[in-house]
């Protein structure tokens, strides 16, 4: 029996971008088995637009914004399909037969938990006209603006940490996938057009959330005593990134340090450390993707747990 595939989108006050995405999704052939949208505290008429123009879409409505991560968890819980394609409200697949390709991909790869795809994004203008978007390979992270996820694995591993609110949920989940023997694969058979609108985006805020959540992820997943060294490394690396962006970024770094301190007790209470061998192998995978199935199996094992 063919796998079922849904599209899941979370949106916050970007009605025009969402309208463009839904228009693109209407051209998919075959169509997805379902489209689910989390309307996360929208005050710009998004809900009224969806009810009027897209009554077939299943809506999850938050009167007040809960954040992209709790929204994606809720979408996955509500989804009844085998695989869900996670998109932003300003991203969509370019191939009209994308759904058929996803069905084949996840059928052919029974250990596949997450498939990420190259993006043609306004964030990186050179990608818009690039002829070579790279090769397919095993990776240690992905982007929710264009990734397909096997729902049963998402549920089995507990989804995303809801208290992250936004940012860094993807590498944290990828780490748990590969540690449990599930594969994260960057596949070039599907391409995502990501308009990457500036609406509702703030670079410094995103950096600080990413850095904070990366630190919390270390507390959640990294075994001791390595946890202390890895946490310090993450702090120093994020400070180095801020330094490259300028003094105004550096002077704001303590803001996320304080936020991180406030969540330490929550992270420790939910701590589930992974074996150091697999944690270290994942860190290496993030820096250096793997091409061959044999090398991936040697690092992470021959079957999903």
């Amino acid at each position: 029996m063919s796998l079922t595939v849904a599209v899941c989108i979370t949106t916050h006050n970007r009605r025009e971008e969402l309208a463009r995405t839904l228009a693109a999704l209407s051209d998919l052939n075959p169509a997805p088995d379902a489209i689910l949208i989390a309307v996360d505290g929208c005050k710009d008429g998004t809900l009224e637009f969806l009810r009027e123009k897209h009554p077939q879409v299943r809506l999850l409505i938050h009167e007040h914004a809960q954040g992209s991560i709790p929204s994606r968890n809720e979408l996955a819980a509500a989804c009844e399909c085998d695989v869900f394609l996670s998109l932003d409200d300003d991203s969509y697949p370019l191939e009209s037969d994308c759904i058929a390709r996803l069905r084949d991909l996840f059928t052919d790869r029974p250990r596949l938990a997450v498939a990420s795809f190259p993006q043609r994004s306004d964030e990186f203008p050179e990608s818009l006209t690039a002829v070579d978007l790279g090769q397919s390979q095993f990776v240690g992270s992905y982007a929710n603006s264009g990734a397909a996820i096997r729902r049963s694995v998402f549920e089995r591993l507990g989804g995303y940490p809801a208290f992250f609110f936004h940012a860094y949920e993807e590498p944290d989940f990828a780490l748990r996938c590969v540690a449990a023997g599930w594969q994260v694969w960057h596949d070039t058979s599907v391409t995502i057009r990501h308009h990457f609108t500036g609406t509702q985006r703030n670079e410094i805020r995103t950096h600080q959330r990413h850095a904070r959540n990366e630190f919390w992820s270390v507390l959640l997943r990294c075994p001791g005593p390595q946890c202390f060294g890895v946490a310090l490394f993450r702090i120093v690396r994020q400070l180095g990134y801020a330094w490259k962006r300028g003094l105004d970024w550096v002077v704001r770094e303590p803001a996320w340090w304080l936020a991180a301190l406030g969540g330490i007790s929550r992270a420790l209470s939910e701590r589930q450390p992974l074996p150091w061998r697999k944690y270290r192998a994942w860190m290496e995978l993030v820096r250096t993707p793997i091409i061959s199935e044999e090398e991936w199996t040697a690092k992470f094992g021959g079957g999903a747990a």
Side-chain angles (χ1 to χ4, degrees), residues 48-78:
E48 294 75 13
F49 158 74
L50 289 170
R51 284 174 169 166
E52 178 184 355
K53 301 294 185 181
H54 298 277
Q56 79 285 3
V57 171
R58 183 174 178 185
L59 302 179
L60 283 65
I61 303 168
H62 301 157
E63 183 177 352
H64 302 289
Q66 298 182 15
S68 63
I69 293 176
S71 295
R72 294 193 193 280
N73 281 341
E74 188 175 348
L75 286 166

Side-chain angles (χ1 to χ4, degrees), residues 41 77 112 115 145 206 236 293:
L112 180 61
S145 53
T206 298
V236 172
E293 184 90 23

Side-chain angles (χ1 to χ4, degrees), residues 1-5 33 80 82 103-104 106-108 150:
M1 184 175 178
S2 179
L3 295 177
T4 53
V5 180
D33 295 283
E80 298 177 349
D82 300 303
R103 287 174 179 151
D104 291 343
F106 279 82
T107 298
D108 294 342
R150 195 182 298 271

Side-chain angles (χ1 to χ4, degrees), residues 72 85-88 90-95 115-134 141-148 170 186-197 201:
R72 294 193 193 280
L85 175 61
S86 175
L87 298 174
D88 282 354
D90 57 358
S91 64
Y92 50 83
L94 290 174
E95 292 76 16
S116 71
F117 311 106
Q119 298 191 11
R120 296 192 182 275
S121 171
D122 298 283
E123 184 183 15
F124 304 104
E126 65 277 6
S127 69
L128 298 176
T129 56
V131 176
D132 183 3
L133 292 176
S141 188
Y142 60 96
N144 264 323
S145 53
E170 301 103 329
H186 181 73
D187 194 273
T188 58
S189 67
V190 172
T191 311
I192 301 297
R193 177 66 173 99
H194 191 187
H195 290 273
F196 199 81
T197 178
R201 295 187 192 274

